Coordinates of all heavy atoms in Angstrom, one line a residue:
M230 N 91.6 102.6 99.3 CA 91.9 101.7 100.5 C 92.7 102.6 101.6 O 93.3 103.5 101.3 CB 92.9 100.5 100.1 CG 93.3 99.7 101.2 SD 94.2 98.2 100.9 CE 92.9 97.1 100.7
T231 N 92.4 102.3 102.9 CA 92.9 103.0 104.0 C 93.9 102.1 104.7 O 93.6 101.0 105.1 CB 91.8 103.4 104.9 OG1 90.9 104.4 104.2 CG2 92.4 104.2 106.1
H232 N 95.2 102.6 105.0 CA 96.1 101.9 105.8 C 96.3 102.6 107.1 O 96.8 103.7 107.0 CB 97.4 101.8 104.9 CG 97.3 101.4 103.6 ND1 97.4 99.9 103.3 CD2 97.0 101.9 102.4 CE1 97.1 99.8 102.1 NE2 97.0 100.9 101.5
D233 N 96.0 101.9 108.1 CA 96.2 102.5 109.5 C 97.7 102.3 110.0 O 98.0 101.1 110.3 CB 95.2 101.9 110.5 CG 95.2 102.7 111.8 OD1 96.0 103.5 112.1 OD2 94.3 102.3 112.6
L234 N 98.5 103.3 109.9 CA 99.8 103.2 110.3 C 100.0 103.8 111.9 O 101.2 104.0 112.2 CB 100.7 104.0 109.3 CG 100.7 103.4 107.9 CD1 101.7 104.3 107.2 CD2 101.1 102.1 107.9
S235 N 99.0 104.2 112.5 CA 99.0 104.9 113.7 C 99.8 104.1 114.8 O 100.3 104.7 115.8 CB 97.7 105.4 114.1 OG 96.8 104.4 114.4
A236 N 99.6 102.8 114.9 CA 100.2 102.0 115.8 C 101.7 102.0 115.8 O 102.4 101.7 116.8 CB 99.7 100.7 116.0
Q237 N 102.2 102.2 114.5 CA 103.7 102.2 114.3 C 104.3 100.9 114.8 O 105.2 100.9 115.7 CB 104.4 103.3 114.7 CG 104.1 104.7 114.1 CD 104.8 105.8 114.4 OE1 104.5 106.4 115.4 NE2 105.6 106.3 113.5
T238 N 103.9 99.8 114.4 CA 104.4 98.4 114.8 C 105.4 97.9 113.6 O 105.6 98.5 112.6 CB 103.3 97.4 114.8 OG1 102.6 97.2 113.6 CG2 102.2 97.9 116.0
W239 N 105.9 96.8 114.1 CA 107.1 96.1 113.1 C 106.3 95.8 111.8 O 105.3 95.2 111.9 CB 107.5 94.8 113.8 CG 108.6 94.3 112.9 CD1 108.4 93.1 112.1 CD2 110.0 94.5 112.9 NE1 109.5 92.8 111.6 CE2 110.7 93.5 112.0 CE3 110.8 95.5 113.4 CZ2 111.8 93.6 111.5 CZ3 112.1 95.6 113.0 CH2 112.7 94.6 112.2
G240 N 106.9 96.2 110.7 CA 106.2 96.1 109.5 C 105.2 96.9 109.1 O 104.6 96.8 107.8
S241 N 104.8 97.8 109.8 CA 103.8 98.9 109.6 C 104.2 100.2 110.2 O 103.5 100.5 111.3 CB 102.3 98.4 109.9 OG 101.4 99.3 109.7
N242 N 105.1 100.8 109.7 CA 105.7 101.9 110.5 C 106.0 103.1 109.4 O 106.1 102.9 108.2 CB 107.0 101.5 111.1 CG 107.5 102.5 112.2 OD1 106.8 103.6 112.4 ND2 108.4 102.1 113.1
Y243 N 106.3 104.3 109.9 CA 106.6 105.4 109.0 C 107.4 106.5 109.9 O 107.4 106.5 111.1 CB 105.4 106.0 108.4 CG 104.6 106.8 109.4 CD1 104.8 108.2 109.7 CD2 103.6 106.1 110.2 CE1 104.0 108.9 110.7 CE2 102.9 106.8 111.2 CZ 103.1 108.1 111.4 OH 102.4 108.8 112.4
N244 N 108.1 107.3 109.2 CA 108.9 108.4 109.7 C 108.5 109.7 109.0 O 108.5 109.6 107.7 CB 110.3 108.3 109.7 CG 110.8 107.2 110.6 OD1 110.4 107.3 111.8 ND2 111.6 106.4 110.2
L245 N 108.1 110.8 109.5 CA 108.0 112.1 108.8 C 109.2 112.5 108.5 O 110.1 112.8 109.3 CB 107.2 113.1 109.7 CG 105.7 112.9 109.9 CD1 105.2 113.9 111.0 CD2 105.1 113.3 108.6
M246 N 109.5 112.9 107.2 CA 110.7 113.3 106.7 C 110.7 115.0 106.6 O 111.7 115.7 106.8 CB 111.1 112.7 105.3 CG 111.3 111.2 105.4 SD 112.3 110.6 106.7 CE 113.8 110.9 105.9
E247 N 109.5 115.4 106.1 CA 109.4 116.8 105.8 C 107.9 117.2 106.1 O 107.1 116.5 105.6 CB 109.9 117.3 104.6 CG 109.8 118.9 104.4 CD 110.4 119.3 103.1 OE1 111.2 118.5 102.5 OE2 110.4 120.5 102.8
V248 N 107.6 118.3 106.7 CA 106.2 118.9 106.8 C 106.2 120.3 106.0 O 107.0 121.1 106.4 CB 105.8 119.1 108.3 CG1 104.6 119.6 108.4 CG2 105.9 117.6 109.0
R249 N 105.2 120.4 105.2 CA 105.1 121.6 104.5 C 103.7 122.1 104.6 O 102.8 121.5 104.9 CB 105.4 121.4 103.0 CG 106.8 121.1 102.6 CD 107.1 121.0 101.1 NE 106.4 119.9 100.5 CZ 106.7 118.6 100.6 NH1 107.8 118.3 101.4 NH2 106.1 117.6 100.0
D250 N 103.7 123.5 104.4 CA 102.4 124.3 104.4 C 101.7 123.9 105.7 O 100.4 123.5 105.7 CB 101.5 123.9 103.1 CG 100.4 124.9 103.0 OD1 100.4 125.9 103.6 OD2 99.6 124.5 102.2
R251 N 102.3 124.0 106.9 CA 101.8 123.8 108.2 C 101.0 122.5 108.4 O 99.9 122.2 108.7 CB 100.9 124.9 108.5 CG 101.5 126.2 108.7 CD 100.7 127.4 108.8 NE 99.5 127.1 109.7 CZ 98.6 128.0 110.1 NH1 98.8 129.3 109.6 NH2 97.6 127.7 110.9
G252 N 101.5 121.5 107.6 CA 101.0 120.0 107.7 C 100.0 119.7 106.6 O 99.5 118.5 106.7
M253 N 99.8 120.4 105.8 CA 98.9 120.1 104.7 C 99.5 119.1 103.7 O 98.8 118.5 103.0 CB 98.5 121.5 103.9 CG 97.7 122.4 104.8 SD 96.3 121.6 105.5 CE 95.2 121.6 104.1
E254 N 100.8 119.2 103.5 CA 101.6 118.1 102.9 C 102.8 117.6 103.6 O 103.5 118.3 104.2 CB 102.1 118.8 101.4 CG 102.7 117.8 100.6 CD 103.0 118.4 99.1 OE1 102.0 118.4 98.4 OE2 104.1 118.7 99.0
V255 N 103.0 116.3 103.4 CA 104.2 115.6 104.2 C 104.9 114.7 103.3 O 104.2 114.1 102.4 CB 103.5 114.9 105.5 CG1 103.0 115.9 106.5 CG2 102.7 113.8 105.2
D256 N 106.1 114.5 103.6 CA 107.0 113.6 103.0 C 107.2 112.5 104.1 O 107.6 112.8 105.2 CB 108.4 114.2 102.4 CG 108.2 115.0 101.2 OD1 107.1 114.9 100.6 OD2 109.0 115.8 100.9
L257 N 107.2 111.2 103.6 CA 107.2 110.2 104.6 C 108.2 109.1 104.1 O 108.3 108.9 102.9 CB 105.9 109.5 104.8 CG 104.7 110.4 105.3 CD1 103.4 109.8 104.7 CD2 104.7 110.6 106.7
A258 N 108.8 108.4 105.0 CA 109.6 107.2 104.7 C 108.8 106.1 105.5 O 108.5 106.4 106.7 CB 111.0 107.2 105.1
G259 N 108.6 105.0 105.0 CA 108.0 103.9 105.8 C 108.1 102.5 105.2 O 108.8 102.3 104.4
W260 N 107.3 101.5 106.1 CA 107.5 100.1 105.8 C 106.1 99.6 105.8 O 105.5 99.6 106.8 CB 108.5 99.5 106.8 CG 109.8 100.0 106.7 CD1 110.9 99.5 106.1 CD2 110.3 101.3 107.3 NE1 112.0 100.3 106.2 CE2 111.7 101.4 107.0 CE3 109.7 102.3 108.2 CZ2 112.5 102.4 107.4 CZ3 110.6 103.3 108.7 CH2 111.9 103.3 108.2
K261 N 105.7 99.1 104.8 CA 104.4 98.4 104.6 C 104.1 98.1 103.2 O 104.2 99.1 102.4 CB 103.2 99.1 105.3 CG 101.8 98.3 105.2 CD 100.7 99.1 105.8 CE 99.6 98.5 105.7 NZ 99.4 97.1 106.3
S262 N 103.8 96.9 102.8 CA 103.6 96.6 101.4 C 102.2 97.0 101.1 O 101.2 97.0 102.0 CB 103.7 95.2 101.1 OG 105.1 94.8 101.4
G263 N 101.8 97.2 99.8 CA 100.6 97.4 99.3 C 100.0 98.7 99.2 O 98.7 98.9 98.8
I264 N 100.6 99.8 99.7 CA 100.2 101.1 99.6 C 100.3 101.6 98.1 O 101.5 101.4 97.4 CB 101.0 102.1 100.7 CG1 100.7 101.6 102.0 CG2 100.4 103.4 100.5 CD1 101.5 102.1 103.1
K265 N 99.3 102.2 97.6 CA 99.3 102.9 96.3 C 98.8 104.3 96.3 O 98.3 104.8 97.2 CB 98.3 102.1 95.3 CG 98.6 100.6 95.3 CD 97.5 99.9 94.4 CE 96.2 100.0 94.8 NZ 95.7 99.4 96.0
V266 N 99.2 105.0 95.2 CA 98.6 106.4 95.0 C 97.2 106.3 95.0 O 96.6 105.4 94.4 CB 99.3 106.9 93.6 CG1 98.5 108.2 93.3 CG2 100.7 107.1 93.6
G267 N 96.6 107.3 95.8 CA 95.1 107.3 95.9 C 94.7 106.6 97.2 O 93.5 106.9 97.5
D268 N 95.5 105.8 97.9 CA 95.2 105.3 99.2 C 95.3 106.3 100.3 O 95.9 107.4 100.0 CB 96.1 104.2 99.5 CG 95.8 102.9 98.7 OD1 94.9 102.9 97.9 OD2 96.7 101.8 98.9
F269 N 94.6 106.1 101.4 CA 94.7 106.9 102.6 C 95.7 106.3 103.6 O 95.6 105.1 103.7 CB 93.2 107.2 103.3 CG 92.3 108.0 102.3 CD1 91.4 107.4 101.5 CD2 92.5 109.3 102.3 CE1 90.4 108.0 100.7 CE2 91.8 110.1 101.4 CZ 90.6 109.5 100.7
L270 N 96.3 107.1 104.4 CA 97.1 106.7 105.5 C 96.5 107.3 106.7 O 96.4 108.6 106.7 CB 98.5 107.1 105.3 CG 99.2 106.7 104.1 CD1 100.7 107.3 103.9 CD2 99.4 105.2 103.9
I271 N 96.3 106.5 107.8 CA 96.1 107.1 109.1 C 97.3 107.1 109.8 O 97.9 106.2 110.1 CB 95.0 106.2 109.7 CG1 93.8 105.9 109.0 CG2 94.7 106.7 111.2 CD1 92.9 107.1 108.7
L272 N 97.6 108.4 110.3 CA 98.9 108.7 111.0 C 98.7 109.2 112.4 O 97.6 109.8 112.6 CB 99.8 109.7 110.2 CG 100.0 109.5 108.8 CD1 100.8 110.5 108.1 CD2 100.8 108.2 108.5
K273 N 99.6 108.9 113.4 CA 99.4 109.3 114.6 C 99.7 110.9 114.8 O 100.6 111.4 114.1 CB 100.4 108.6 115.6 CG 100.2 108.9 117.1 CD 100.9 108.0 117.9 CE 100.9 108.2 119.3 NZ 99.5 108.2 119.9
Q274 N 98.8 111.5 115.5 CA 99.1 113.0 115.7 C 98.8 113.3 117.1 O 97.6 113.3 117.6 CB 98.2 113.8 114.8 CG 98.4 115.4 114.9 CD 97.4 116.1 114.1 OE1 96.3 115.7 113.9 NE2 97.9 117.4 113.8
R275 N 99.8 113.5 117.9 CA 99.7 113.7 119.6 C 98.9 112.5 120.0 O 99.3 111.3 120.0 CB 99.2 115.0 119.8 CG 100.2 116.2 119.4 CD 99.7 117.4 119.9 NE 100.5 118.6 119.3 CZ 100.2 119.3 118.3 NH1 99.1 119.1 117.7 NH2 101.0 120.2 118.0
N276 N 97.6 112.8 120.6 CA 96.8 111.8 121.2 C 95.7 111.3 120.3 O 94.8 110.8 120.8 CB 96.2 112.3 122.5 CG 97.3 112.7 123.5 OD1 98.4 112.1 123.5 ND2 97.1 113.7 124.3
S277 N 95.7 111.7 119.0 CA 94.6 111.2 118.1 C 95.3 110.8 116.8 O 96.5 110.5 116.8 CB 93.7 112.4 117.9 OG 94.3 113.4 117.3
T278 N 94.6 110.7 115.8 CA 95.1 110.4 114.5 C 94.4 111.3 113.5 O 93.6 112.0 113.7 CB 94.5 108.8 114.0 OG1 93.1 108.8 114.1 CG2 95.1 107.8 115.0
T279 N 95.2 111.2 112.3 CA 94.7 112.2 111.2 C 94.9 111.4 109.8 O 95.7 110.4 109.8 CB 95.4 113.5 111.2 OG1 94.7 114.4 110.3 CG2 96.9 113.4 110.9
R280 N 94.3 111.8 108.8 CA 94.2 111.1 107.5 C 94.9 111.9 106.5 O 94.8 113.1 106.3 CB 92.8 110.7 107.0 CG 92.8 109.8 105.9 CD 91.3 109.5 105.7 NE 90.6 110.6 105.0 CZ 89.5 110.4 104.3 NH1 89.0 109.3 104.2 NH2 89.0 111.6 103.6
Y281 N 95.8 111.1 105.6 CA 96.5 111.8 104.6 C 96.2 110.9 103.3 O 96.1 109.7 103.3 CB 98.0 111.9 104.8 CG 98.4 112.9 105.6 CD1 98.2 112.9 107.0 CD2 98.8 114.1 105.1 CE1 98.6 113.9 107.9 CE2 99.1 115.2 106.0 CZ 99.1 115.2 107.3 OH 99.3 116.3 108.2
L282 N 96.2 111.6 102.0 CA 96.1 111.0 100.9 C 97.4 110.9 100.2 O 98.1 111.8 100.1 CB 95.1 111.8 99.9 CG 94.9 111.4 98.4 CD1 94.1 110.0 98.4 CD2 94.1 112.4 97.7
V283 N 97.7 109.6 99.7 CA 99.0 109.4 99.1 C 99.0 110.0 97.7 O 98.2 109.6 96.8 CB 99.3 107.9 99.0 CG1 100.6 107.7 98.3 CG2 99.3 107.2 100.5
E284 N 99.8 110.9 97.5 CA 99.9 111.7 96.1 C 101.1 110.8 95.2 O 100.9 110.7 94.1 CB 100.4 113.1 96.4 CG 99.4 113.8 97.2 CD 98.1 114.2 96.4 OE1 98.0 114.1 95.2 OE2 97.2 114.6 97.1
S285 N 102.1 110.4 95.8 CA 103.1 109.7 95.1 C 103.8 108.7 96.1 O 103.9 108.9 97.3 CB 104.1 110.6 94.5 OG 104.8 111.2 95.6
I286 N 104.3 107.6 95.5 CA 105.0 106.5 96.4 C 105.9 105.9 95.5 O 105.7 105.5 94.3 CB 104.0 105.6 97.0 CG1 104.7 104.7 98.0 CG2 103.2 104.8 96.1 CD1 103.7 104.0 99.2
R287 N 107.2 105.6 96.2 CA 108.2 104.9 95.6 C 108.7 103.8 96.5 O 109.1 104.1 97.4 CB 109.4 105.9 95.1 CG 110.5 105.2 94.5 CD 111.7 106.1 94.1 NE 111.9 107.0 95.2 CZ 112.9 106.8 96.2 NH1 113.6 105.7 96.1 NH2 113.2 107.8 97.0
Y288 N 108.6 102.5 95.9 CA 109.1 101.4 96.8 C 110.7 101.2 96.5 O 111.1 101.4 95.3 CB 108.3 100.2 96.5 CG 107.1 100.1 97.4 CD1 105.9 100.6 96.8 CD2 107.0 99.6 98.5 CE1 104.7 100.6 97.3 CE2 105.7 99.5 99.3 CZ 104.6 100.0 98.7 OH 103.5 99.9 99.4
E289 N 111.3 100.6 97.5 CA 112.7 100.4 97.4 C 112.8 98.8 96.9 O 111.7 98.1 97.2 CB 113.5 100.7 98.6 CG 113.5 102.0 99.1 CD 114.3 102.8 98.1 OE1 115.5 102.3 97.7 OE2 113.9 103.9 97.5
Q290 N 114.0 98.5 96.5 CA 114.2 97.2 96.0 C 114.5 96.2 97.3 O 114.1 95.1 97.4 CB 115.4 97.1 95.2 CG 115.1 97.7 93.7 CD 114.1 96.9 92.9 OE1 114.0 95.7 93.1 NE2 113.3 97.7 92.1
D291 N 115.3 96.9 98.3 CA 115.7 96.1 99.4 C 115.8 96.9 100.6 O 116.5 98.0 100.6 CB 117.1 95.5 99.1 CG 117.6 94.5 100.2 OD1 116.7 94.2 101.0 OD2 118.8 94.3 100.3
P292 N 114.9 96.9 101.7 CA 113.9 95.9 101.6 C 112.6 96.3 100.8 O 112.5 97.4 100.6 CB 113.6 95.9 103.1 CG 113.8 97.3 103.7 CD 115.1 97.7 102.8
A293 N 111.9 95.3 100.3 CA 110.9 95.5 99.3 C 109.8 96.2 99.8 O 108.9 96.8 99.0 CB 110.6 94.2 98.7
D294 N 109.6 96.2 101.1 CA 108.4 96.9 101.8 C 108.8 98.3 102.1 O 107.9 99.0 102.7 CB 107.9 96.1 102.9 CG 108.7 95.9 104.1 OD1 110.0 96.2 103.9 OD2 108.2 95.6 105.2
M295 N 110.0 98.8 101.9 CA 110.3 100.2 102.2 C 109.8 101.1 101.1 O 110.1 100.8 99.9 CB 111.8 100.4 102.6 CG 112.1 101.7 103.0 SD 113.9 101.8 103.3 CE 114.0 103.5 103.9
W296 N 109.3 102.2 101.5 CA 108.8 103.3 100.5 C 109.1 104.7 101.0 O 109.3 104.9 102.2 CB 107.3 103.0 100.3 CG 106.5 102.9 101.5 CD1 106.0 101.8 102.1 CD2 105.9 104.0 102.4 NE1 105.3 102.0 103.3 CE2 105.2 103.4 103.4 CE3 106.1 105.4 102.3 CZ2 104.6 104.2 104.4 CZ3 105.4 106.1 103.2 CH2 104.7 105.4 104.3
F297 N 109.0 105.6 100.1 CA 109.0 107.0 100.2 C 107.8 107.6 99.6 O 107.5 107.3 98.4 CB 110.3 107.6 99.7 CG 111.6 107.0 100.4 CD1 112.3 106.1 99.8 CD2 112.1 107.8 101.5 CE1 113.5 105.6 100.5 CE2 113.2 107.4 102.1 CZ 113.8 106.2 101.7
A298 N 107.0 108.5 100.3 CA 105.9 109.0 99.7 C 105.7 110.4 100.0 O 106.3 110.9 101.0 CB 104.7 108.1 100.3
T299 N 104.9 111.2 99.2 CA 104.3 112.5 99.5 C 102.8 112.3 99.7 O 102.1 111.6 98.9 CB 104.6 113.4 98.4 OG1 106.1 113.5 98.2 CG2 104.0 114.7 98.6
A300 N 102.2 112.8 100.8 CA 100.8 112.8 101.1 C 100.3 114.2 101.4 O 101.1 115.0 101.9 CB 100.7 111.8 102.2
S301 N 99.0 114.3 101.0 CA 98.4 115.6 101.5 C 97.3 115.2 102.5 O 96.6 114.2 102.5 CB 97.7 116.3 100.2 OG 96.8 115.5 99.7
F302 N 97.1 116.3 103.4 CA 96.1 116.2 104.4 C 94.7 116.0 103.8 O 94.2 116.7 102.8 CB 96.1 117.4 105.2 CG 95.1 117.6 106.4 CD1 95.1 116.7 107.4 CD2 94.0 118.6 106.4 CE1 94.3 116.7 108.5 CE2 93.3 118.6 107.5 CZ 93.3 117.7 108.5
A303 N 93.9 115.0 104.3 CA 92.7 114.7 103.8 C 91.7 114.3 105.0 O 91.6 113.2 105.4 CB 92.8 113.4 102.9
P304 N 91.2 115.4 105.8 CA 90.4 115.1 106.8 C 89.2 114.2 106.6 O 88.7 114.2 105.6 CB 90.0 116.5 107.3 CG 90.2 117.4 106.1 CD 91.2 116.7 105.4
R305 N 88.9 113.4 107.6 CA 87.9 112.5 107.4 C 86.5 113.2 107.7 O 86.3 114.2 108.4 CB 87.9 111.4 108.5 CG 89.0 110.5 108.3 CD 89.2 109.5 109.5 NE 90.1 110.3 110.4 CZ 90.9 109.8 111.3 NH1 91.0 108.5 111.5 NH2 91.7 110.5 112.1
D306 N 85.5 112.7 106.9 CA 84.1 113.4 107.1 C 83.5 112.8 108.4 O 83.6 111.6 108.7 CB 83.2 113.0 106.0 CG 83.7 113.6 104.7 OD1 84.3 114.7 104.7 OD2 83.5 113.0 103.6
N307 N 83.0 113.5 109.1 CA 82.3 113.0 110.5 C 81.1 112.5 110.4 O 80.2 112.7 109.5 CB 82.3 114.2 111.6 CG 83.7 114.6 112.0 OD1 84.6 113.7 111.9 ND2 83.8 115.8 112.5

């Protein structure tokens, strides 16, 4: 499943916590229910978007839609 977080709206938002290997892997904190390992995230990158594959995700108890994830760069096929 693909989750478009690029608009960064209330209830569907993220923050980059760490960028490794020149953007090939990122740690994120975010808010949106239903994201699972193996899902794709569409993230804003300057004036466009890019896609990442969720490698790990951990949801918080309160608020229940808050999560911490590690994701790897997964460019879209044109």
Side-chain angles (χ1 to χ4, degrees):
M230 176 174 266
T231 299
H232 306 272
D233 189 348
L234 303 177
S235 63
Q237 291 185 287
T238 59
W239 183 262
S241 181
N242 198 350
Y243 70 93
N244 290 311
L245 279 172
M246 304 303 286
E247 186 175 348
V248 177
R249 287 185 298 284
D250 194 18
R251 297 176 35 179
M253 297 304 287
E254 187 172 276
V255 295
D256 288 337
L257 305 152
W260 298 265
K261 180 175 175 64
S262 297
I264 299 171
K265 302 180 303 294
V266 169
D268 286 355
F269 292 102
L270 303 176
I271 305 296
L272 307 178
K273 185 167 179 61
Q274 183 183 27
R275 293 187 186 99
N276 295 328
S277 64
T278 61
T279 192
R280 188 176 78 162
Y281 281 83
L282 175 67
V283 177
E284 301 287 346
S285 68
I286 189 163
R287 174 180 52 86
Y288 278 92
E289 292 296 307
Q290 295 292 328
D291 186 19
D294 65 342
M295 183 179 186
W296 47 262
F297 293 92
T299 299
S301 60
F302 181 60
R305 293 169 274 206
D306 296 328
N307 290 335

